[in-house]
Amino acid sequence: MGCLVSTAKDSGGIRRRPGNIGDVTVFVPGLRIPKPVDFSHSLDEHLSKSLAERLSALRTRIVVMAGQEAPTITRTRRRSATQHGGSTLGDLLQALEDYLPVLLGLVKDGSPLQHKVQFVWVNQEDEAEETAIFSAWYEVLSVLHLMATLSLSQANLLLLPRTSADGYQPKVSEESRRSCIDIFLKAAGFLDCAVRHVLPQLPVELRRDLPVDLTEGGVDIQLGLAIDSTKATLAVKRRLACEMVKYWQQAQDNIMNLSLANGWGEKHQLFVKWKYIEAKAAAYYYHGLILDEGNTEKAHGLAVAALQAADEYLKESKKVCEAFNMAPPLSRNPPLWGTMKYLSEKIPKDTSSKVRINRDLYAHEKIMETAPTLPDFALALKPDEFQLPQVDASWNTENITKLQFGPNKSDRT
């Protein structure tokens, strides 16, 4: 069914694992870079020369472009072109989209061809570095993962504050934030397709050895837009903040079940912990403001308890953020903007004010209650639906030699 080879050897003498990844708004998983494959050698008895050469050309384009972009994608620099002639994130995504329908011909109708080629990818995060499998489904999985990673890289660039034309503090435009919501959902769609439709095609024994990666969603961007909107009510902001807690809670639960001992594992775990705690600070803040609208002593006491919880979570999130940035590979945070700039200023100020006011009104013990339970809202954001494309028309009977397939190379390894 397939053969997995995972080695710690260097690929071409160039190690691609960065020691510093610069400014991080979206923590992008380490890139998985494909290594060259000779389709003509592996498939010479089964495909026409033109189809084998087309597969090779499409994949070689990706190998070259990904190799050029790898040093810059994990660094937060805006680059319009490389020294070799213009591969950008968008161009690389397009190259992957062009390759996918031709690649899918190898797995069409359960074709034995899916086990004839060994696909090799180099992982920035995994100490094993290099994973090689005789499986075209593994290649499809890797392509979808790279498409999602590149999308997240685009989002990270868009969400880095830029100096505004008016010369004031760096900020992120509303247009960029709205675009990022679409990008997050698109990336989630790629991964959702990979998990639901591609991963089940791989044997269980191979799935256990696949590299581990992580992604995130975009509800926090929606909250930032709501904060900026004069029409968004406190109830809307609280709902978005509570949804954000649930998303990060899911991520926290899932990552605890993964083996992340090597590479960037600690950084992934700290990123999720940081964002989860940060989300709880936002949720308790807006919950506290709504509770404070009540006219009873109990409501005011619960409001203060919620705001105090928000303040504590905010302080804790800053500590975890520092730990995240110090974990290898080193990173740093861009200047605060949007949601967290607003909340970093408002939470301490409003908490101090409400505590003082309520202590004047009520006995001290009345406001020192346990933080109230956050309301439970259904999650609204769903991944964009992404379906694997139709197999390219080049896979017709004229291009496939009708020969009896012998034993797979993978069976002989």
Side-chain angles (χ1 to χ4, degrees), residues 328-347:
L330 300 177
S331 58
R332 61 178 178 268
N333 294 115
L336 283 178
W337 62 276
T339 304
M340 288 318 299
K341 184 176 189 302
Y342 176 86
L343 293 176
S344 293
E345 296 169 355
K346 294 290 289 181
I347 289 177

Side-chain angles (χ1 to χ4, degrees), residues 23 26 28-33 61-62 64-82 85-98 124 143-160 162 180 183 186-187 190:
D23 292 343
V26 180
V28 180
L31 287 183
R32 303 187 63 246
I33 309 297
R61 180 185 174 206
I62 294 167
V64 172
M65 294 173 71
Q68 292 171 359
E69 289 297 316
T72 63
I73 289 175
T74 49
R75 295 297 301 247
T76 49
R77 301 172 184 169
R78 283 191 180 276
R79 291 185 52 151
S80 59
T82 69
S87 68
T88 64
L89 292 178
D91 292 335
L92 185 48
L93 268 169
Q94 185 60 55
L96 291 163
E97 291 175 7
D98 293 343
Q124 281 183 309
V143 166
L144 291 175
H145 179 270
L146 183 53
M147 290 168 69
T149 303
L150 294 173
S151 297
L152 293 176
S153 296
Q154 288 181 323
N156 189 49
L157 289 176
L158 285 172
L159 291 176
L160 293 178
R162 305 292 168 186
C180 281
I183 291 174
K186 183 179 179 181
F190 294 146

Side-chain angles (χ1 to χ4, degrees), residues 52-309:
E53 288 180 347
R54 187 175 180 211
L55 274 166
S56 294
L58 288 168
R59 195 176 192 276
T60 298
R61 180 185 174 206
I62 294 167
V63 170
V64 172
M65 294 173 71
Q68 292 171 359
E69 289 297 316
T72 63
I73 289 175
T74 49
R75 295 297 301 247
T76 49
R77 301 172 184 169
R78 283 191 180 276
R79 291 185 52 151
S80 59
T82 69
Q83 60 180 336
H84 297 290
S87 68
T88 64
L89 292 178
D91 292 335
L92 185 48
L93 268 169
Q94 185 60 55
L96 291 163
E97 291 175 7
D98 293 343
Y99 173 52
L100 193 53
V102 185
L103 169 65
L104 286 171
L106 291 174
V107 299
K108 182 181 179 182
D109 299 326
S111 169
L113 292 176
Q114 64 183 281
H115 307 301
K116 292 292 179 182
V117 182
Q118 185 183 50
F119 294 98
V120 185
W121 290 70
V122 179
N123 194 337
Q124 281 183 309
E125 296 195 20
D126 195 340
E127 287 296 332
E129 282 270 350
E130 189 176 287
T131 305
I133 304 180
F134 278 94
S135 170
W137 279 118
Y138 166 64
E139 177 80 346
V140 174
L141 186 70
S142 298
V143 166
L144 291 175
H145 179 270
L146 183 53
M147 290 168 69
T149 303
L150 294 173
S151 297
L152 293 176
S153 296
Q154 288 181 323
N156 189 49
L157 289 176
L158 285 172
L159 291 176
L160 293 178
R162 305 292 168 186
T163 303
S164 56
D166 54 19
Y168 288 101
Q169 282 190 323
K171 61 183 179 181
V172 178
S173 69
E174 181 174 329
E175 179 183 0
S176 291
R177 285 184 281 170
R178 292 189 183 278
S179 295
C180 281
I181 294 175
D182 294 335
I183 291 174
F184 280 130
L185 296 180
K186 183 179 179 181
F190 294 146
L191 295 172
D192 187 62
C193 176
V195 170
R196 293 177 182 273
H197 304 297
V198 179
L199 199 58
Q201 304 295 334
L202 287 167
V204 174
E205 62 270 19
L206 291 186
R207 280 185 251 168
R208 285 196 293 263
D209 294 316
L210 291 173
V212 176
D213 290 294
L214 182 70
T215 186
E216 61 165 312
V219 71
D220 46 346
I221 310 301
Q222 285 190 318
L223 176 59
L225 292 170
I227 288 173
D228 290 345
S229 172
T230 56
K231 297 180 180 179
T233 64
L234 272 179
V236 169
K237 296 173 184 178
R238 179 178 68 173
R239 180 187 179 99
L240 287 169
C242 289
E243 283 187 48
M244 190 159 62
V245 171
K246 289 183 73 173
Y247 281 117
W248 285 112
Q249 175 68 65
Q250 289 179 357
Q252 180 99 320
D253 293 343
N254 290 335
I255 202 170
M256 296 305 294
N257 296 322
L258 300 176
S259 175
L260 296 175
N262 295 328
W264 297 6
E266 181 188 10
K267 200 168 187 74
H268 280 305
Q269 291 169 334
L270 286 170
F271 183 77
V272 172
K273 183 178 180 181
W274 165 31
K275 290 299 179 180
Y276 176 52
I277 296 171
E278 196 175 74
K280 291 179 81 170
Y284 274 108
Y285 173 69
Y286 286 112
H287 190 40
L289 294 184
I290 288 179
L291 288 171
D292 198 52
E293 292 178 342
N295 295 319
T296 66
E297 180 179 334
K298 180 179 180 181
H300 291 159
L302 289 172
V304 170
L307 290 171
Q308 287 178 321

